[in-house]
Amino acid sequence: MNEHEKEEPVFEIAVVIPRRIVQEKDVDCDCVNVLVQEFRKVGFIVERVHGIAEDFIKLAAHLETLGRAAYELQIKKRTHIGMDLQFQVEDVDAFVRQPDGSIFSWCERFQCYYHLIYGIVNSTGSTMTLKFDGNEFRWETGENLLWKLESVNIVKQVFPLHDEKKRHKLLKSWAFHWWNFTNQPIDEIYSYFGAKIAIYFAFLGMYTRWLLFLAAFGLVLGFIDFGSLHLVVLPIFFVVVILWAVMFCQFWKRKNCALLARWFIDSSATADQGYKIPDSKESLLSLQDELIKLLETDKMKGKKVFQRYEWLGRLMRFRNDAIIIISIICLQLPFELAYAHLYEVIDSDVMKFGLTALYLFAIQYVTQFCGKVSVKLIRYENNESTEKRADSLVYKVFENLLENTLPYFKYSYKKYRVRHKKREKGEMTGKIQFTHRAEKEYLKPAYKASIGEELEDGLFDDFLELALQFGMIMMFACAFPPAFAFATVNNLMEIRTDALKLLVILRRPVPRAATTVGAWLNIFQFLIVMSICTNCALLVWLYDQEGKWSLEPGLAAILVMEHVLLLIKFGFSRLVPEEPAWVKANRAKYATQAQDMCSKKLLRTISGEVAFGESKKLQYHKDSFFHQSIDRKED
């Protein structure tokens, strides 16, 4: 075991418990004491913290404890020969380590923590009476302790804690490292926040870096007067923009594959772990298990049931998408048209300002309502994983959204409310300081989406901003070329401000497993196709300002260019391979090594069986000869 595992474990999880008024005399029946003892039995390192408003139980774990949970969860990890095998703590040196030197990724550690925390049950064989703050309740045999405590509001929350050492290191190398522009410590981000957040920042960094070229080109077009050549330069700029967008999407796929290979993540595996609290009402996995059992017992019937299950899910997704689209057309579109008409007919600027404020306020509530409807509809879809359900939510909600969360002010308000309550009750006077890190982080806002938080985290809003920006600069590229420069500056600021938001203002996010940016890349590619149509229309209006719509050489060239660009868009997708050659070579090498090892082991097994069979045959002949000799002597 190397130096990384000899270091003192860091407290990574906190359990929130209300401050009690009555102290229990019987320690064996004290609810919190029983919970702490059960945590220690599991193998956790436990520390109790008394805060101003709440109490906290901080948890850390050694490698042996996490390794036992990983074995129970059947977590597979990459070995040095390239095979993914089920983890066993006894053979820890056979497994490849993470970029930060640890065996488990943050996503895997979080999954192990929750498995152990929510795996505590009453195994004494008898019902226990537990007491808390003067109240009694029964802990039945086989009942889950955390679920029981949550149901009676004794455990208020379980959330991940920041690692102060790693957090400060990331602040210096990432959030405050402005002069590095788009360069980011992606491996360290992955080790600390997990794959999904790391992939987002890798995507944002690459997108911003690629924007630098178009930003320079757009500034040249915006500030240099080309005179009559302007009608020639604009179509050239438009063609360059489309080629840039197509190539960006293709090269991002290559980078995505490279990142997964570097982090030893299997892109073919369904990523649906590491962030989900166990739910006794979850029935999707049990239904799939029943279908698999049916397929094993009756193949013909099982295939029919599987096909019915598959197509029913697709039809339900199509129905839900249609419901959302029709709702937008029937409800939101007339509302926006009415707003546009009223804005034109009203003369007073004050009335226009009030109308705009009312419009923005109404749009937020309409969008939140549509998001809730989308989440309810998704529950009836047969999506394979949480990642697929999140993608389904992205497709349904992608229309418009105004970010309305102010995390810092929420944090400040929570601290003020706690202090105010303590002063009102007369429990504390003077200046109240929050000294414990766990309490400070508990008061911070969680990193969650403004809508559909059951399926998505805060990356939903961040990706939505990027998609809206990409759509605006692409669809109206010919109308305002310098927009690419403004987008570049905005993204450079976004990288550092998002880093500060995650490291300072918000709690440490719950890790979510992911292999790609999901549905957002499809939305970007859809916007490329839309931008071809809109920019061609803009160029047509530019050439035909009188509205004659005659097919002069310039107009004909634009119409031809539209079709050519659409062909190029799909043709270039084939030109650039989505997977780098070195990733394919490594996979082939590991597959060959694994096959050779399996072949040698199989040959040794066969040879052993053959040798054993020959020895038994020889022994049989010896025994037969011996018995025959005895028979002759007796005769």
Side-chain angles (χ1 to χ4, degrees), residues 365-418:
Y365 277 91
V366 169
T367 308
Q368 290 179 6
F369 173 75
C370 291
K372 292 179 180 178
V373 172
S374 299
V375 171
K376 289 185 178 180
L377 291 174
I378 290 168
R379 295 185 188 278
Y380 296 98
E381 299 176 1
N382 299 332
N383 292 293
E384 295 87 353
S385 65
T386 304
E387 189 178 4
K388 295 291 185 182
R389 292 194 286 274
D391 287 347
S392 182
L393 178 67
V394 169
Y395 287 130
K396 289 174 175 62
V397 175
F398 179 71
E399 276 300 318
N400 53 40
L401 184 69
L402 180 65
E403 192 174 7
N404 59 356
T405 55
L406 299 172
Y408 177 75
F409 291 109
K410 284 186 176 180
Y411 174 49
S412 301
Y413 175 70
K414 283 185 178 179
K415 290 198 296 183
Y416 166 77
R417 190 171 58 182
V418 171

Side-chain angles (χ1 to χ4, degrees), residues 5 64 111 152 178 190 196 237 266 304 306 315 333 350 362 365 380 388 413 444 465 528 598:
E5 307 305 335
E64 290 79 6
Q111 187 183 11
V152 294
W178 290 86
Y190 162 71
K196 191 169 184 179
F237 175 71
D266 185 6
K304 291 181 180 179
F306 255 110
L315 290 173
L333 185 60
V350 176
Y365 277 91
Y380 296 98
K388 295 291 185 182
Y413 175 70
K444 292 179 180 179
E465 289 179 6
I528 294 173
C598 291

Side-chain angles (χ1 to χ4, degrees), residues 122-178:
N122 185 355
S123 56
T124 60
S126 60
T127 301
M128 294 181 63
T129 301
L130 301 180
K131 299 179 180 179
F132 181 82
D133 209 10
N135 298 318
E136 292 185 1
F137 61 92
R138 296 165 65 84
W139 184 23
E140 303 291 342
T141 303
E143 188 177 14
N144 186 289
L145 180 58
L146 261 291
W147 283 346
K148 180 67 177 181
L149 297 182
E150 286 177 343
S151 66
V152 294
N153 296 322
I154 293 176
V155 169
K156 298 180 70 174
Q157 207 170 61
V158 179
F159 68 95
L161 290 169
H162 276 291
D163 182 339
E164 287 301 295
K165 185 177 178 181
K166 293 181 179 179
R167 188 176 73 91
H168 283 292
K169 184 179 177 182
L170 279 173
L171 279 171
K172 292 179 181 178
S173 64
W174 181 31
F176 296 148
H177 220 226
W178 290 86

Side-chain angles (χ1 to χ4, degrees), residues 289-304:
D289 291 339
E290 291 178 4
L291 291 174
I292 292 172
K293 290 179 182 178
L294 179 61
L295 186 64
E296 291 174 351
T297 54
D298 190 343
K299 289 187 176 180
M300 292 298 295
K301 186 177 179 180
K303 285 181 179 179
K304 291 181 180 179

Side-chain angles (χ1 to χ4, degrees), residues 240-511:
V240 170
V241 166
I242 297 301
L243 294 179
W244 169 89
V246 173
M247 297 300 285
F248 164 72
C249 288
Q250 289 304 114
F251 276 92
W252 162 251
K253 293 176 184 178
R254 289 173 60 84
K255 183 176 180 64
N256 193 19
C257 289
L259 289 174
L260 297 181
R262 202 161 77 199
W263 299 334
F264 310 110
I265 296 176
D266 185 6
S267 59
S268 62
T270 301
D272 190 24
Q273 60 180 5
Y275 64 92
K276 193 176 179 182
I277 298 175
D279 186 359
S280 59
K281 297 179 181 178
E282 186 68 37
S283 60
L284 180 61
L285 293 177
S286 60
L287 178 59
Q288 291 180 346
D289 291 339
E290 291 178 4
L291 291 174
I292 292 172
K293 290 179 182 178
L294 179 61
L295 186 64
E296 291 174 351
T297 54
D298 190 343
K299 289 187 176 180
M300 292 298 295
K301 186 177 179 180
K303 285 181 179 179
K304 291 181 180 179
V305 174
F306 255 110
Q307 289 176 353
R308 191 183 308 118
Y309 179 77
E310 176 189 8
W311 286 104
L312 179 63
R314 291 184 177 274
L315 290 173
M316 291 175 73
R317 283 194 291 273
F318 178 79
R319 180 205 65 181
N320 295 344
D321 292 342
I323 290 173
I324 295 298
I325 293 171
I326 293 172
S327 300
I328 291 171
I329 294 173
C330 297
L331 298 177
Q332 189 165 335
L333 185 60
F335 178 72
E336 292 180 354
L337 291 175
Y339 162 76
H341 175 70
L342 290 173
Y343 194 86
E344 289 294 329
V345 299
I346 293 176
D347 296 328
S348 172
D349 292 337
V350 176
M351 292 290 291
K352 286 183 178 180
F353 178 81
L355 181 65
T356 304
L358 179 63
Y359 169 77
L360 294 175
F361 181 79
I363 282 294
Q364 287 191 61
Y365 277 91
V366 169
T367 308
Q368 290 179 6
F369 173 75
C370 291
K372 292 179 180 178
V373 172
S374 299
V375 171
K376 289 185 178 180
L377 291 174
I378 290 168
R379 295 185 188 278
Y380 296 98
E381 299 176 1
N382 299 332
N383 292 293
E384 295 87 353
S385 65
T386 304
E387 189 178 4
K388 295 291 185 182
R389 292 194 286 274
D391 287 347
S392 182
L393 178 67
V394 169
Y395 287 130
K396 289 174 175 62
V397 175
F398 179 71
E399 276 300 318
N400 53 40
L401 184 69
L402 180 65
E403 192 174 7
N404 59 356
T405 55
L406 299 172
Y408 177 75
F409 291 109
K410 284 186 176 180
Y411 174 49
S412 301
Y413 175 70
K414 283 185 178 179
K415 290 198 296 183
Y416 166 77
R417 190 171 58 182
V418 171
R419 291 188 179 113
H420 185 65
K421 284 183 178 179
K422 290 294 179 183
R423 289 195 183 100
E424 278 187 341
K425 294 178 180 178
E427 297 177 6
M428 291 185 178
T429 58
K431 190 174 182 179
I432 300 174
Q433 294 288 348
F434 295 91
T435 57
H436 298 293
R437 181 170 58 89
E439 186 166 27
K440 289 180 181 179
E441 293 190 24
Y442 172 64
L443 293 174
K444 292 179 180 179
Y447 186 54
K448 60 183 181 181
S450 54
I451 57 174
E453 62 184 74
E454 302 94 329
L455 302 177
E456 269 290 0
D457 56 9
L459 285 179
F460 177 87
D461 295 338
D462 293 332
F463 262 120
L464 184 59
E465 289 179 6
L466 275 186
L468 292 174
Q469 180 200 90
F470 184 81
M472 294 298 290
I473 63 176
M474 288 293 297
M475 294 174 68
F476 304 101
C478 293
F480 189 59
F484 289 91
F486 294 113
T488 304
V489 174
N490 175 79
N491 290 353
L492 290 172
M493 299 287 292
E494 188 79 14
I495 291 173
R496 308 304 164 184
T497 54
D498 281 355
L500 281 172
K501 178 176 67 176
L502 288 171
L503 291 169
V504 178
I505 299 175
L506 301 175
R507 289 185 203 166
R508 188 178 185 180
V510 173

Side-chain angles (χ1 to χ4, degrees), residues 507-623:
R507 289 185 203 166
R508 188 178 185 180
V510 173
R512 289 176 176 253
T515 55
T516 64
V517 296
W520 295 107
L521 187 62
N522 294 335
I523 289 174
F524 271 63
Q525 292 175 329
F526 169 75
L527 291 172
I528 294 173
V529 177
M530 292 296 297
S531 66
I532 293 175
C533 301
T534 56
N535 281 281
C536 283
L538 288 172
L539 289 174
V540 167
W541 289 327
L542 182 64
Y543 273 93
D544 188 26
Q545 295 181 359
E546 297 180 0
K548 294 180 180 179
W549 293 96
S550 59
L551 285 177
E552 298 175 358
L555 296 178
I558 292 171
L559 294 175
V560 171
M561 183 174 63
E562 178 186 16
H563 290 74
V564 171
L565 285 174
L566 288 172
L567 290 174
I568 289 175
K569 192 270 177 199
F570 296 104
F572 268 62
S573 301
R574 298 285 184 179
L575 177 65
V576 181
E578 296 183 3
E579 190 176 38
W582 67 267
V583 175
K584 291 182 180 179
N586 276 347
R587 189 170 61 249
K589 181 186 74 172
Y590 289 142
T592 303
Q593 289 178 350
Q595 187 176 6
D596 290 343
M597 290 194 65
C598 291
S599 300
K600 289 177 182 178
K601 186 176 181 180
L602 183 61
L603 286 173
R604 284 196 298 268
T605 304
I606 295 173
S607 300
E609 290 177 354
V610 171
F612 180 72
E614 291 294 333
S615 63
K616 287 189 67 176
K617 187 183 293 184
L618 181 62
Q619 184 66 38
Y620 173 77
H621 287 302
K622 285 182 179 179
D623 293 342

Side-chain angles (χ1 to χ4, degrees), residues 7-73:
E7 296 178 358
E8 190 68 23
V10 178
F11 291 104
E12 297 183 293
I13 301 293
V15 181
V16 187
I17 298 171
R19 289 292 300 270
R20 68 177 75 195
I21 301 173
V22 179
Q23 295 292 333
E24 303 299 336
K25 296 180 181 179
D26 189 354
V27 178
D28 294 334
C29 294
D30 182 76
C31 176
V32 180
N33 184 65
V34 170
L35 180 61
V36 170
Q37 293 303 319
E38 291 293 334
F39 282 154
R40 287 180 176 145
K41 286 179 185 178
V42 167
F44 286 132
I45 301 170
V46 182
E47 180 182 325
R48 293 182 64 176
V49 173
H50 298 289
I52 295 175
E54 317 289 347
D55 288 343
F56 301 87
I57 301 174
K58 298 196 297 183
L59 303 176
H62 289 289
L63 174 62
E64 290 79 6
T65 303
L66 296 177
R68 187 178 72 250
Y71 180 78
E72 293 172 358
L73 290 168

